[in-house]
Amino acid sequence: MATFAKPENALKRAEELITVGQKQEALQALHDLITSRRYRAWQKTLERIMFKYVELCVDMRRGRFAKDGLIQYRIVCQQVNINSLEEVIKHFMHLATERAELARNQAQALEEALDVEDLEADKRPEDLMLSYVSGEKGKDRSDRELVTPWFKFLWETYRTVLEILRNNSRLEALYAMTAHRAFQFCKQYKRTTEFRRLCEIIRNHLANLNKYRDQRDRPDLSLPESLQLYLDTRFEQLKVATELSLWQEAFRSIEDIYGLMCMVKKTPKASLMGVYYGKLTEIFWMSSNHLYHAYAWLKLFSLQKGFNKNLSQKDLQLIASSVVLAALSVPPYDQSYGASHLELENEKERSLRVANLIGFEVEPKAENRVALSRSSLLSELVSKGVMSCVTQEVKDLYHLLENEFLPLDLALKVQPILNKISKLGGKLSSVSSVPEVQLSQYVPALEKLATLRLLQQVSQVYQTIQIDNISKMIPFFDFTAIEKISVDAVRRNFLAIKVDHMKGAVFFGKQSIEAEGLRDHLSLFAESLSKARTMIYPPAKKAAKLGDALSNLAEIVEKEHKRLLARKSIIEKRKEEQERLLLEMERVEESKRRELQKMTEDAEQKRIAAEYEQRRSQRILKEIEDRELEEAQAMLQEAEKRSKRKKKPILEGEKMTKQVIMELALNEQLRERQEREKKLQKYAKTMDHLERAKREEAAPLIEAAYKQRLAEEAALHEREQQQEVELSRQRHAGDLEEKKRLGRMLENKRILQERVVSSREAEFNRLKQERRERISQIIQSRKQEREARRKMLFFLRTEEERLKRLQEEEEARKREEAERRKKEEAERQAKLDEIAEKQRLRMIELEEKERRVKEEILRKPAVLPRPAEPPALGRPTELGGAAPVPAAAAAAPAAGKYVPRHLRGNVDAAGQAPPAETDRWGGTGSKLDDRPSWRDERKPTSFGSSGSRTSWSSSRR
């Protein structure tokens, strides 16, 4: 892969390679440049490179290279200059189209050229041999060799461009133009297969456009311009499909248009809708759907009457007549009679789908759907006033077929009217959506309808009629065609007819061929026979006799049945195994045969290729030898022509090789060169002597001419010098007179000069003084500004320092205050901890003392007499000790205290116990209450055995 510093170098290199005939290398160089990641910024040089690149791709028919290059170029200029991509693509399509047209013209010229030596002969022997060998004509062969490759390349070009532009909103117009040109290509050259593929490609592009809605440059179909471009493309597709008679593709194009309109919820313009319904009439007529064809004509008539004001009365009358005749052409019976349930469902779905296409409702609703029928169509024709616009012949025909009852001469009265109608029609004006209307196309269907109406009316009057009479009453068809029409009508349950050819009569009646009695007569006959057999041979008695005769018959039959089933299964398994083995053997044999065939084919291909290469090399060597021999002979002949001497004749048996001829030619050239040099030397010597003689003779003549020329030039110089002196004197005299004239104004000039100089000097001095004053003022003002700025900066800096100092002092004061508070808090906390520790020790001492008292009470159960006065408790010592307590006080049970059972009797016998303390610490005579303590300053607390710690904690908090 070659790399270039600049894109211009690649372009120059490609042009050099093209000059020497290496187009493939030039194309590869440009392709490497375009696909390189180094040149992703758009510039004008890349556009010139792309023009050269697509030219090479078209010359060499390299569609894949062109597609890769255009995709890369689209990435480069998508966001910068999209118009450049448009120009490159237009140039690409123009080149491809031009080369295809050129190839086609060459093929036509080749076919039309008159290149026959014998005018009496039909064909040349070469043409006959080629036609017998190849089996194709000269035109087919020239098309295959010249036209087909370029048409393939042009088709590939259209596909490539459509693929590149399919999701680019900025190049929608170019996409539509490319699609139109592709349609015209298919139309011009009758390419039906390519047209189907093109329709499928465009359909897939639209489907992908709706599927991937989050693309960046996706076209927006809600915009009127984009929608119009897509609609124009679909209508062009519809027109080309009808012109190519591809009616299935035309119907799919109709569905595409309807789906596009349902997608955007909009209805196209009236002109486009006229084309839409015009093409629908052609499609339904070609598919023999007369009902849908008539409905499409009705919609077209309503559209033309309502929107096309320029339509003439004659054209409107023809369109209305077409509507009525299309409605009458619809068969008067149900086409789906006798179909299966599945077929009916499919037909219902298809009719609803076609009804949506004809009604063109972009938002179809289920409640608005009405089934299409012939009766509703005829009533709609009358209600919409279509009958008032038709010709008189059509009115008479409608009245005869739908309202009159003429069982004998209906067809005879209809025939002249149909003859008149067949002559009506023709081309319409250019303002109409339908270019031409021919009423003669409805005549066969109307003749069939007249036949059905006549048979229907005759069946209501007669039960039997002769075949000859029916043939006379219906002049349109012979009786064979009438019989086919009748059979179809009977099958659709429209008529009840039986034809008896032996009697030559036709029977009418309700007993049809499909009646229940005739259809089930065999089954009824079989049932009757079965009943008769049952009556003759009763089954119950026969079973009883067989049961008596063979009591174990059922078991035997069952065993035999099982044995047969087992044997059958074994046989089936053996057959399956045998078939499997045969299939396996056949498969192996087939694989071996294929391998052998493949090896044989490969060997044959190798042999053919080797022989071809050998023949090719031999042919090339022979061609080289022949060409060298021809060149040598040409050289020899040329040398003989130049030489005047007679050559040595070549013997007839002498073998002339290239080397011999070359030696002869070289010897001849050497001899000629030597002779030529000798002649030149002799001629040079002669010319030398001649030139010397000429100069010797011319020397005195040249000297005389020189002296004469010197004399003439001296006289001329003297004359010119005298003229110049005279002219100088005249000019000097004139200058003196001018000086004298101007000398009078010299004083005035000096005064004016002084005045101007003095005024300009005063003005200069004034301006100079003003400038100095202005500069001094500016200097003073700037000095004051600098002084004010310095003072302001000093003040701001001083104020900032003061505020900073105050802030530091405040922070120091706050720190000192916080340290002091912290220290006080620590001291107070230490005091509280010390008091709490003392209280805890005191509580421990009291609890220990209480425990000792209880133990003493339990150890000494004797009851002491009540003293006259209870002694006071002793003050607890500081170390937790207590004064001794009297035994009577310790033994006295307190109220509410626990007393053992063995002591309760003694207490009652001794009398009433002395009053006990309500509290261990409170009571009369307690010295603890008279003692000043830190508890007096707080809320009184009852120190119990269980709540002492909680009360102290709450008081601390």
Side-chain angles (χ1 to χ4, degrees), residues 267-459:
T267 304
K269 295 184 293 187
S271 60
L272 294 179
M273 291 304 298
V275 177
Y276 176 84
Y277 286 116
K279 298 303 179 182
L280 263 184
T281 57
E282 296 181 24
I283 293 170
F284 288 139
W285 181 256
M286 295 304 298
S287 61
S288 300
N289 289 323
H290 294 173
L291 179 62
Y292 302 146
H293 171 76
Y295 267 102
W297 263 118
L298 179 60
K299 296 292 289 187
L300 180 60
F301 171 78
S302 303
L303 194 67
Q304 293 290 327
K305 186 178 180 181
F307 293 97
N308 198 347
K309 304 300 182 183
N310 300 324
L311 193 67
S312 63
Q313 187 64 28
K314 181 181 179 182
D315 295 344
L316 187 63
Q317 193 177 34
L318 280 176
I319 295 175
S321 301
S322 298
V323 174
V324 176
L325 293 179
L328 290 176
S329 300
V330 180
Y333 44 77
D334 187 9
Q335 295 283 347
S336 61
Y337 180 80
S340 63
H341 178 71
L342 182 60
E343 292 176 351
L344 290 175
E345 289 296 327
N346 294 335
E347 182 64 27
K348 182 179 179 181
E349 183 180 356
R350 184 165 55 253
S351 63
L352 291 176
R353 175 177 158 200
V354 175
N356 288 333
L357 292 178
I358 295 175
F360 208 87
E361 299 175 357
V362 295
E363 294 182 0
K365 298 180 181 179
E367 60 271 10
N368 295 335
R369 292 179 178 175
V370 179
L372 306 181
S373 63
R374 186 176 187 272
S375 58
S376 61
L377 176 61
L378 293 176
S379 61
E380 194 171 353
L381 292 180
V382 176
S383 62
K384 289 188 176 181
V386 181
M387 298 300 300
S388 61
C389 301
V390 301
T391 60
Q392 187 61 36
E393 292 83 0
V394 177
K395 287 183 181 179
D396 296 341
L397 181 64
Y398 177 81
H399 184 69
L400 285 173
L401 293 177
E402 297 298 328
N403 298 327
E404 291 290 336
F405 186 78
L406 302 170
L408 296 179
D409 54 354
L410 176 63
L412 298 176
K413 289 185 177 181
V414 167
Q415 187 178 13
I417 299 176
L418 290 179
N419 294 332
K420 294 180 181 179
I421 290 175
S422 63
K423 298 177 182 179
L424 298 177
K427 293 185 179 181
L428 304 183
S429 59
S430 59
V431 297
S432 176
S433 300
V434 182
E436 186 179 3
V437 173
Q438 294 294 339
L439 301 183
S440 59
Q441 63 180 350
Y442 300 108
V443 171
L446 293 174
E447 291 176 349
K448 182 179 178 181
L449 176 66
T451 303
L452 289 173
R453 289 298 185 196
L454 188 142
L455 291 175
Q456 185 184 26
Q457 294 176 9
V458 168
S459 67

Side-chain angles (χ1 to χ4, degrees), residues 417-633:
I417 299 176
L418 290 179
N419 294 332
K420 294 180 181 179
I421 290 175
S422 63
K423 298 177 182 179
L424 298 177
K427 293 185 179 181
L428 304 183
S429 59
S430 59
V431 297
S432 176
S433 300
V434 182
E436 186 179 3
V437 173
Q438 294 294 339
L439 301 183
S440 59
Q441 63 180 350
Y442 300 108
V443 171
L446 293 174
E447 291 176 349
K448 182 179 178 181
L449 176 66
T451 303
L452 289 173
R453 289 298 185 196
L454 188 142
L455 291 175
Q456 185 184 26
Q457 294 176 9
V458 168
S459 67
Q460 296 176 8
V461 177
Y462 299 98
Q463 289 184 352
T464 306
I465 191 170
Q466 294 294 324
I467 293 176
D468 297 337
N469 294 335
I470 290 181
S471 300
K472 293 177 182 178
M473 287 189 294
I474 304 175
F476 313 126
F477 310 107
D478 56 0
F479 189 74
T480 305
I482 296 172
E483 189 175 7
K484 289 181 180 179
I485 296 172
S486 303
V487 169
D488 190 43
V490 170
R491 187 165 63 90
R492 303 298 181 186
N493 200 26
F494 182 71
L495 293 174
I497 298 176
K498 290 191 297 181
V499 179
D500 193 344
H501 288 279
M502 296 185 66
K503 296 180 179 180
V506 176
F507 299 93
F508 301 100
K510 297 298 181 181
Q511 184 68 22
S512 64
I513 297 175
E514 294 296 329
E516 293 294 332
L518 296 177
R519 183 167 57 196
D520 300 333
H521 67 284
L522 291 178
S523 61
L524 294 174
F525 181 67
E527 290 178 359
S528 301
L529 287 178
S530 178
K531 289 180 181 178
R533 183 175 179 278
T534 303
M535 293 174 65
I536 295 172
Y537 301 105
K541 294 180 180 180
K542 186 176 180 181
K545 289 180 180 179
L546 287 174
D548 295 339
L550 300 172
S551 58
N552 56 350
L553 181 62
E555 296 179 359
I556 295 172
V557 169
E558 184 67 23
K559 290 180 181 179
E560 187 67 19
H561 180 64
K562 289 181 180 180
R563 188 181 65 80
L564 291 175
L565 288 178
R567 184 173 179 273
K568 183 179 179 181
S569 63
I570 292 170
I571 292 171
E572 290 293 334
K573 289 181 180 179
R574 288 178 180 176
K575 286 183 178 180
E576 290 176 359
E577 184 67 22
Q578 189 175 4
E579 290 176 357
R580 188 183 63 78
L581 292 175
L582 289 175
L583 288 175
E584 187 68 25
M585 291 173 64
E586 289 178 359
R587 192 180 298 111
V588 173
E589 292 293 333
E590 182 67 20
S591 62
K592 289 182 179 179
R593 187 183 62 78
R594 288 179 180 176
E595 290 178 0
L596 183 60
Q597 183 179 1
K598 185 177 181 182
M599 292 171 63
T600 306
E601 291 177 355
D602 293 342
E604 184 66 20
Q605 290 178 359
K606 289 180 181 179
R607 185 185 64 78
I608 294 172
E611 290 180 355
Y612 174 76
E613 288 295 331
Q614 185 177 1
R615 289 195 301 269
R616 180 170 173 272
S617 59
Q618 291 176 358
R619 179 177 56 82
I620 291 172
L621 291 175
K622 189 175 183 304
E623 289 178 356
I624 293 172
E625 291 177 358
D626 294 342
R627 186 167 58 251
E628 290 178 352
L629 186 59
E630 290 175 359
E631 292 174 357
Q633 289 179 353

Side-chain angles (χ1 to χ4, degrees), residues 172 220-233 260-261 264 266-267:
E172 290 176 340
D220 189 5
L221 294 180
S222 60
L223 298 177
E225 297 82 4
S226 302
L227 180 61
Q228 189 62 37
L229 288 173
Y230 274 86
L231 274 179
D232 293 342
T233 303
L260 185 62
M261 290 298 98
V264 297
K266 291 181 181 178
T267 304

Side-chain angles (χ1 to χ4, degrees), residues 578-824:
Q578 189 175 4
E579 290 176 357
R580 188 183 63 78
L581 292 175
L582 289 175
L583 288 175
E584 187 68 25
M585 291 173 64
E586 289 178 359
R587 192 180 298 111
V588 173
E589 292 293 333
E590 182 67 20
S591 62
K592 289 182 179 179
R593 187 183 62 78
R594 288 179 180 176
E595 290 178 0
L596 183 60
Q597 183 179 1
K598 185 177 181 182
M599 292 171 63
T600 306
E601 291 177 355
D602 293 342
E604 184 66 20
Q605 290 178 359
K606 289 180 181 179
R607 185 185 64 78
I608 294 172
E611 290 180 355
Y612 174 76
E613 288 295 331
Q614 185 177 1
R615 289 195 301 269
R616 180 170 173 272
S617 59
Q618 291 176 358
R619 179 177 56 82
I620 291 172
L621 291 175
K622 189 175 183 304
E623 289 178 356
I624 293 172
E625 291 177 358
D626 294 342
R627 186 167 58 251
E628 290 178 352
L629 186 59
E630 290 175 359
E631 292 174 357
Q633 289 179 353
M635 291 171 59
L636 186 59
Q637 292 174 3
E638 186 68 22
E640 290 177 356
K641 289 178 181 179
R642 287 196 303 267
S643 177
K644 296 181 180 178
R645 294 178 60 186
K646 188 176 180 181
K647 301 298 176 184
K648 178 184 177 181
I650 301 174
L651 298 178
E652 190 170 345
E654 186 178 356
K655 184 178 180 181
M656 296 299 296
T657 61
K658 179 186 175 183
Q659 190 65 25
V660 174
I661 294 174
M662 289 294 291
E663 289 178 358
L664 293 175
L666 289 175
N667 293 332
E668 187 64 26
Q669 289 178 3
L670 182 60
R671 188 188 58 75
E672 289 178 357
R673 191 183 301 113
Q674 291 174 357
E675 290 180 355
R676 194 163 48 249
E677 288 177 358
K678 289 179 181 179
K679 288 181 181 180
L680 286 174
Q681 290 176 2
K682 184 178 180 180
Y683 183 71
K685 189 175 181 180
T686 305
M687 291 299 296
D688 189 13
H689 288 290
L690 181 61
E691 187 67 23
R692 186 180 298 113
K694 286 169 59 178
R695 290 187 181 184
E696 287 176 357
E697 292 293 330
L701 298 176
I702 292 173
E703 185 68 25
Y706 175 68
K707 290 179 180 180
Q708 185 181 357
R709 181 68 179 272
L710 285 178
E712 291 175 357
E713 287 182 357
L716 179 62
H717 176 68
E718 186 67 26
R719 188 168 56 253
E720 288 180 354
Q721 189 174 9
Q722 290 177 2
Q723 291 177 0
E724 184 67 26
V725 169
E726 187 65 28
L727 289 174
S728 297
R729 287 175 181 174
Q730 293 176 2
R731 284 197 296 269
H732 181 66
D735 291 342
L736 289 177
E737 291 178 1
E738 186 70 19
K739 179 180 180 184
K740 185 177 180 181
R741 187 179 65 83
L742 295 176
R744 295 183 304 217
M745 295 180 279
L746 185 61
E747 186 64 25
N748 295 332
K749 176 254 183 185
R750 185 183 56 77
I751 295 171
L752 178 62
Q753 183 179 359
E754 290 178 356
R755 187 186 305 157
V756 172
V757 169
S758 62
S759 64
R760 289 184 179 178
E761 186 176 1
E763 181 68 20
F764 174 73
N765 293 332
R766 185 181 62 79
L767 292 175
K768 185 176 181 182
Q769 184 64 25
E770 289 178 359
R771 180 173 175 275
R772 286 178 180 176
E773 292 176 359
R774 189 166 60 253
I775 289 173
S776 63
Q777 289 177 3
I778 292 171
I779 291 171
Q780 188 66 23
S781 63
R782 289 183 179 178
K783 187 183 294 182
Q784 291 176 1
E785 289 177 0
R786 285 197 300 273
E787 187 67 25
R789 193 181 299 110
R790 281 197 297 270
K791 289 181 180 181
M792 180 57 69
L793 291 174
F794 177 74
F795 173 73
L796 292 175
R797 189 164 54 252
T798 306
E799 187 67 18
E800 185 178 357
E801 291 177 356
R802 186 181 65 80
L803 293 176
K804 186 176 180 181
R805 188 169 59 254
L806 290 177
Q807 185 178 0
E808 290 177 355
E809 291 176 357
E810 181 68 19
E811 290 177 356
R813 186 182 62 77
K814 288 181 180 180
R815 282 198 301 273
E816 292 177 357
E817 184 68 20
E819 291 177 358
R820 185 179 60 78
R821 288 180 181 177
K822 187 175 181 182
K823 187 175 181 181
E824 291 178 356

